[in-house]
Amino acid sequence: MITTQDLTKRYGKVEAVREVSLDVREGDRYGLLGPNGSGKSTLVRMLLGLVYATSGSISVLGEAVPRHVGRVLPQIGALIEEPAAYPHLSGRANLRLLDAAGPSTPHGSRRTRRRRVDDALEQVGLAGIDRRPVRAYSLGMRQRLGLAAALVRRPRLLILDEPTNGLDPRGIRDIRDLLISLNASGVTVFLSSHLLPEVSALCTRVGVLDSGALVLQEQLASLQAPTGRVLVSTDDPERAVAALDGLVEHRDGADLVVRFPDAAALNARLVAAGVPVRSLLVQRRSLEEIVLNVTGSGSDQFGAPATPDASTP
Amino acid sequence: MIAVELLKLSRRARTWFSVALMCALPLVVAIFIAVTHLAPPPGQGSAFLSAVLDDGQLYPAAALALVLPVFLPVAVAVVAGDSIAGEASAGTLRYLLARPVGRTRLLVAKLVAVITFTLIAVIAVTVTSYATGVLILGPSRAAAVGAPPGGLSGSITPGGGGAPTAGLQPGAAITSLSGTPLTTLHLAERVLGAMSFITVSMLGVAAIAIFLSTLTDSALGAALGALATLVGSEILVTLNAASTVQPYLPTRYWLAWIDFFRQPIFWRNIERGFGIQAVYVLVFLGAAWANFATRDITT
Amino acid sequence: MLASALPASVPGLTAAQLEGRVLGSQRLAFSGYAESEAAFGLPPLPAFSSVTPLLDGVTRMRVWQAAPDRWRVDTLSDAGEDDTYQAGANTFAWDSGQQLLTAIFGPQAIRLPRAADLMPAALAVRIISEAGPDAKTRLLPPRRVAGQSAAGLEITPAAPQSTIARADIWASPTSGLPLLVEVFDRGATQPALETRFLQAGPWTPDPGVLTPQRGPGTGFTTTTPNDFAGVLKNLDDELLPGSLAGFARQPSPAPRIGVYGSGLSAFAVLTFTRETGCHLLRTALDAGAAPLAYPDGTGAVASAPLVNLVLVHPRRSPDTFLLIGLVSRAALEQAAAVLAAQPDQDLGH
């Protein structure tokens, strides 16, 4: 769906994006992670033909960008940094204007256009909005309106820059559910975020930008594959250590980190040794660790032992 | 896209506020003149203003002369300066372009919207000032009212030679600047001509403001830049020492709309006025296009 | 602008042939648009308020001519226009500021200069005829004027006391219609007066254009020829000497005015009542004219390119004389001194 080859953008001497080769596949929920200022927005703008690359190539939906961006954009819904709207108009009027502003072909009748706008508003939970102008909207409502604007054309690909900005937890959850259901119906989702939990909760594939360079791009599932360690909590750690005979890598009171690939077999062994197992947890690396590892200064050791307290599935 | 731009323009309070302001100025002037019966002396003050006490039907021409130097160009510069810069600073520009709206199409739509705005303003001023003229200043008065003491009214007796035909002609509604009678139809044609010329005269300002609007994200900056160009041009137009550059100044032929009210119409400066505005539109819209089409949209 | 950069080519003509064609162009029918530019800086004297604007800055003129005595010249301004119609012997003047049409029935033997006099065709013909047969002429390189190739003629008047050093005329080589006239003051490299057609052609004007018509609300008045200077004192011809400073008096074209000299070296003497004269003198001095003192009177002198002007106020006379003309300042001051020193002969008036 989106591929870039050695994409570079220089502003004067500053390299905002450096030799990025993205690979977003059809059906992905792709999360582009990176701290603020890492080049996410510049990258998103290049994908949409708003910013011209210094070097490298972009292909979106099989078409070269920016050359054929006019063919690509009608199939894309985009949220580019903050949402923006004409503040003196209502949300619905804004959507109608934006819908009418596009290429002239898929306009449809007045009624289908109206329905399209109503559907988009409903999808983001703004179905009941009144005639108030956008300037009276809360930050969350504006964000929802921005999403509705991205959805109004029923795109094949969503490119969303920080989609849950300004939303309350409930709103974040709504949007996440919406994106997952859209994805299930065949829409590829590409989002950028600096919020790790959001990406880890939503995405199937992750890229990490650090100072303009793509330092990691992988399926989330393979990143979070079991580390070969099991976290064991027991009332009798002494007996457990004895029973496991050197497999315990770390002990912290009643909690043990055991190097053992199969949790079920480990459990059987502990039970057989008469160890009272309170809980047993297959250790996976958190996204935070992964990101910190690839972006932290000089730490590119992927095999580093995980700290137990950060482990959550 | 043009329809969208027109819709946006029509739904901004500023649009109607500035049109209302432009209509209000001639109204205020008319009220003062009607109350005090003090029109500026002939040859002074704004064009046609001295004549309107005699004939309120001429007031549209006087009203256009009132709004042309400042109100209209300021309003046009503000609207045109806002065209791209306003969208950029509001953040809506990136959404329009990602919709996608072609950058060239957007520029053209913006120019069309500015022209439409100018036309609406000019029409509104003309219509309201005609009403003002007829209702407040009154329709044409009797022939000799405006004549100075000792003036005779009536036919000129030919004293031999070229036998001038003169005298009041039936159906004549108004007097041209050349002293000859014009019918209401003729007057309407000429007012229409003046209106279109004034609208076209604003094209240069609009193109400059749109060009500046693609350079900056500040709508105010673009409008002020265009106005600064105009003020500079108006100063140079009156400066004899600058006569070599005068034919190329955007305001050089602004007053040529007055030539519609001469008999016969004096086309030379009107044609040049149209020509110079066409050049400004081509050059500055071309520059705006060259800049805008290759620019990174970072707002 | 671009057209003026095109090369100009004219058929071979001698200076005399060209001069003849220019003089012959008076009979042409033509229309056009002309602009004259002058920087005389004359003091704005009340009696000449219609003249001083013509001699300062740009005058824009629309011209239609069907015959030498049937034409119309409009002087355009941004607020209106002043039009002159010539219909045979009669003249009609329209002033859009006053909304007044003035008819002058009968020929005007003498009158104030008007815009039509600055029109290139009229000015060129006048200069050539006034310069007289003694004037030296030579050809100038051709130029493009009003989008046409124009042949150039330089005229140097013979009279040494004339303020006019020379005049350059460019005219259509075929029709002889003068398109550009430049008049040079003595010692000047830039013309003091330049008048040119920006658009001109042998288009016969529509008769309707040449006929004055009155619109509603306009005024109409008639005036007799020479009425322009109502402020002039009724002067007996014998009051003025037969010659002044070496210039012979011409047969008077009109009462109250004396004309001395001939051709391009001539001046006029006008007489004003004391009241008007004092006002004139004050205005002239306020406008920067230099004060003059004679043993027998006071006065003021103003010098402009091409034109000199002296006001003199003899001590023993109730009159004020205004001397104005195309002669050197020294000659004019000399003539004024003679007038100031005249024995008191005006008591009868």
Side-chain angles (χ1 to χ4, degrees):
Chain A
M1 290 300 261
I2 304 174
T3 49
T4 68
Q5 276 294 317
D6 299 328
L7 193 61
T8 299
K9 177 64 189 182
R10 236 177 259 123
Y11 290 110
K13 284 184 174 173
V14 181
E15 272 190 328
V17 172
R18 182 154 35 101
E19 293 180 359
V20 167
S21 299
L22 274 183
D23 178 22
V24 181
R25 297 160 194 169
E26 179 142 24
D28 273 354
R29 297 200 295 271
Y30 190 106
L32 185 66
L33 269 169
N36 288 326
S38 59
K40 294 187 306 271
S41 291
T42 303
L43 186 55
V44 165
R45 281 170 190 264
M46 281 196 282
L47 298 180
L48 296 169
L50 294 173
V51 166
Y52 297 115
T54 309
S55 64
S57 64
I58 306 170
S59 159
V60 179
L61 298 169
E63 302 270 9
V65 169
R67 188 180 308 156
H68 299 306
V69 76
R71 270 186 243 161
V72 177
L73 288 175
Q75 306 174 60
I76 297 179
L79 186 64
I80 312 153
E81 292 175 62
E82 318 88 61
Y86 301 106
H88 57 286
L89 300 179
S90 73
R92 185 171 265 112
N94 261 289
L95 283 197
R96 291 230 181 96
L97 267 185
L98 206 57
D99 186 38
S104 46
T105 31
H107 263 178
S109 73
R110 200 188 177 84
R111 207 157 126 202
T112 58
R113 287 199 314 247
R114 176 165 300 190
R115 180 134 90 244
R116 217 155 48 199
V117 167
D118 288 345
D119 285 354
L121 286 172
E122 190 166 350
Q123 277 180 305
V124 298
L126 285 178
I129 54 162
D130 44 30
R131 303 170 64 91
R132 268 187 308 164
V134 169
R135 82 167 76 82
Y137 280 22
S138 69
L139 194 59
M141 284 172 83
R142 285 177 203 218
Q143 192 70 23
R144 285 168 189 257
L145 184 64
L147 273 169
L151 295 174
V152 75
R153 282 289 178 81
R154 296 177 183 156
R156 279 176 65 196
L157 170 63
L158 277 172
I159 295 184
L160 308 173
D161 203 359
E162 308 277 1
T164 53
N165 235 357
L167 293 179
D168 53 25
R170 173 68 189 272
I172 292 176
R173 171 87 172 276
D174 289 349
I175 295 305
R176 187 196 305 152
D177 292 347
L178 170 66
L179 292 179
I180 290 174
S181 83
L182 283 168
N183 181 247
S185 67
V187 178
T188 305
V189 178
F190 174 92
L191 62 89
S192 83
S193 179
H194 65 281
L195 299 174
L196 291 157
E198 182 181 320
V199 170
S200 71
L202 177 59
C203 293
T204 56
R205 192 167 156 81
V206 197
V208 178
L209 264 189
D210 183 29
S211 312
L214 191 66
V215 290
L216 174 75
Q217 177 168 250
E218 194 58 78
Q219 297 294 122
L220 192 63
S222 43
L223 282 175
Q224 295 188 325
T227 57
R229 288 165 186 81
V230 179
L231 307 179
V232 177
S233 184
T234 171
D235 291 338
D236 193 352
E238 308 301 333
R239 184 179 293 230
V241 169
L244 293 172
D245 189 20
L247 292 172
V248 177
E249 286 188 338
H250 186 81
R251 178 178 163 189
D252 180 13
D255 297 326
L256 308 172
V257 177
V258 183
R259 194 173 71 238
F260 205 92
D262 187 346
L266 177 64
N267 192 27
R269 188 161 162 184
L270 286 169
V271 172
V275 180
V277 177
R278 178 163 296 169
S279 81
L280 204 72
L281 199 63
V282 176
Q283 191 201 40
R284 290 170 195 270
R285 287 196 305 153
S286 75
L287 195 55
E288 184 175 331
E289 278 175 87
I290 298 166
V291 169
L292 287 177
N293 272 332
V294 292
T295 60
S297 50
S299 62
D300 47 2
Q301 319 105 336
F302 273 81
T307 45
D309 52 351
S311 306
T312 39
Chain B
M1 195 54 217
I2 287 170
V4 172
E5 284 305 325
L6 292 181
L7 197 62
K8 278 198 276 193
L9 190 67
S10 73
R11 300 194 60 170
R12 284 205 71 156
R14 184 188 65 195
T15 307
W16 302 112
F17 182 72
S18 53
V19 170
L21 212 59
M22 274 185 265
C23 295
L25 174 74
L27 182 66
V28 170
V29 170
I31 291 172
F32 273 109
I33 290 181
V35 168
T36 62
H37 274 269
L38 279 177
Q44 288 179 34
S46 199
F48 296 105
L49 212 48
S50 61
V52 297
L53 263 184
D54 295 332
D55 192 344
Q57 285 186 88
L58 255 184
Y59 200 59
L64 289 175
L66 287 173
V67 299
L68 177 68
V70 181
F71 271 49
L72 192 57
V74 167
V76 168
V78 167
V79 171
D82 187 57
S83 57
I84 302 294
E87 302 267 9
S89 59
T92 44
L93 178 61
R94 56 177 186 264
Y95 287 104
L96 279 179
L97 296 182
R99 191 91 299 247
V101 176
R103 298 189 186 196
T104 313
R105 276 206 332 147
L106 185 62
L107 273 184
V108 171
K110 291 290 185 186
L111 183 71
V112 171
V114 175
I115 294 172
T116 312
F117 168 74
T118 314
L119 202 59
I120 288 171
V122 168
I123 291 172
V125 167
T126 310
V127 171
T128 56
S129 61
Y130 183 80
T132 307
V134 171
L135 295 176
I136 297 184
L137 296 167
S140 185
R141 299 177 190 195
V145 170
L152 297 166
S153 106
S155 292
I156 298 169
T157 321
T165 62
L168 303 179
Q169 298 190 344
I174 208 120
T175 301
S176 72
L177 284 179
S178 307
T180 54
L182 294 177
T183 61
T184 307
L185 184 66
H186 281 141
L187 178 69
E189 280 171 14
R190 283 153 198 255
V191 168
L192 273 181
M195 284 163 67
S196 43
F197 184 82
I198 286 172
T199 306
V200 169
S201 294
M202 293 298 125
L203 284 179
V205 198
I208 293 172
I210 288 178
F211 167 63
L212 294 175
S213 189
T214 65
L215 290 183
T216 171
D217 293 335
S218 156
L220 188 66
L224 287 180
L227 286 177
T229 315
L230 281 193
V231 171
S233 165
E234 297 222 46
I235 288 171
L236 288 182
V237 159
T238 59
L239 186 71
N240 274 344
S243 58
T244 46
V245 299
Q246 279 171 1
Y248 313 107
L249 295 174
T251 62
R252 167 62 185 83
Y253 296 104
W254 266 18
L255 290 177
W257 64 273
I258 291 170
D259 296 343
F260 276 107
F261 295 92
R262 306 188 193 279
Q263 176 64 22
I265 296 173
F266 182 46
W267 288 105
R268 181 190 147 87
N269 286 354
I270 295 172
E271 285 161 4
R272 275 156 198 253
F274 277 119
I276 194 87
Q277 298 300 328
V279 169
Y280 269 89
V281 169
L282 280 180
V283 169
F284 279 94
L285 216 59
W289 174 81
N291 175 50
F292 188 52
T294 57
R295 194 185 106 177
D296 286 340
I297 308 299
T298 53
T299 52
Chain C
M1 280 292 143
L2 286 177
S4 64
L6 290 172
S9 76
V10 295
L13 281 175
T14 66
Q17 281 174 320
L18 184 58
E19 195 181 335
R21 285 200 187 181
V22 169
L23 287 174
S25 73
Q26 288 179 81
R27 290 185 299 275
L28 290 177
F30 63 89
S31 315
Y33 170 71
E35 284 182 5
S36 82
E37 189 167 1
F40 282 35
L42 276 177
L45 295 180
F48 300 97
S49 56
S50 69
V51 180
T52 34
L54 298 178
L55 302 180
D56 258 311
V58 176
T59 307
R60 301 159 58 210
M61 290 167 278
R62 294 174 87 184
V63 182
W64 297 267
Q65 175 167 324
D69 64 347
R70 186 138 175 80
W71 49 258
R72 167 179 165 190
V73 174
D74 292 0
T75 313
L76 310 182
S77 73
D78 289 338
E81 57 187 64
D82 290 329
D83 307 348
T84 306
Y85 296 81
Q86 189 70 48
N90 303 330
T91 310
F92 297 87
W94 161 253
D95 179 342
S96 72
Q98 305 286 340
Q99 295 276 295
L100 180 64
L101 182 68
T102 306
I104 304 154
F105 293 116
Q108 292 173 281
I110 191 153
R111 54 168 175 77
L112 288 172
R114 57 191 182 197
D117 298 329
L118 291 177
M119 197 258 290
L123 186 64
V125 167
R126 170 167 300 212
I127 286 174
I128 291 180
S129 11
E130 300 281 330
D134 299 337
K136 287 198 289 287
T137 57
R138 70 180 181 94
L139 286 174
L140 291 167
R143 279 174 73 166
R144 281 195 78 86
V145 185
Q148 324 172 16
S149 291
L153 182 71
E154 183 190 88
I155 299 177
T156 311
Q161 279 153 314
S162 171
T163 49
I164 296 178
R166 67 169 217 271
D168 295 350
I169 295 168
W170 278 268
S172 160
T174 45
S175 68
L177 180 68
L179 300 171
L180 167 61
V181 180
E182 292 179 342
V183 185
F184 292 82
D185 197 7
R186 293 211 176 266
T189 52
Q190 293 292 314
L193 169 68
E194 183 187 84
T195 175
R196 65 159 74 210
F197 273 115
L198 295 169
Q199 204 173 23
W203 306 301
T204 308
D206 184 84
V209 169
L210 298 174
T211 310
Q213 292 172 35
R214 282 189 54 208
T218 58
F220 177 66
T221 181
T222 55
T223 171
T224 52
N226 312 330
D227 195 40
F228 73 96
V231 289
L232 291 192
K233 190 172 160 73
N234 205 351
L235 177 76
D236 283 345
D237 272 2
E238 56 269 24
L239 263 178
L240 292 173
S243 104
L244 270 177
F247 292 88
R249 182 152 187 217
Q250 303 286 307
S252 186
R256 295 183 270 184
I257 289 165
V259 176
Y260 291 83
S262 66
L264 294 181
S265 112
F267 65 91
V269 179
L270 288 75
T271 315
F272 296 92
T273 57
R274 177 133 225 156
E275 198 184 345
T276 318
C278 284
H279 179 55
L280 271 180
L281 195 60
R282 230 179 4 255
T283 316
L285 290 170
D286 286 349
L292 280 179
Y294 294 103
D296 308 297
T298 54
V301 57
S303 258
L306 299 182
V307 176
N308 289 305
L309 179 154
V310 173
L311 272 165
V312 64
H313 201 64
R315 198 156 294 150
R316 287 183 312 247
S317 163
D319 301 335
T320 300
F321 297 103
L322 170 69
L323 296 82
I324 183 165
L326 302 173
V327 298
S328 68
R329 176 175 164 169
L332 218 52
E333 284 184 27
Q334 201 186 331
V338 174
L339 282 176
Q342 270 195 114
D344 182 11
Q345 349 129 281
D346 199 33
L347 295 174
H349 294 274

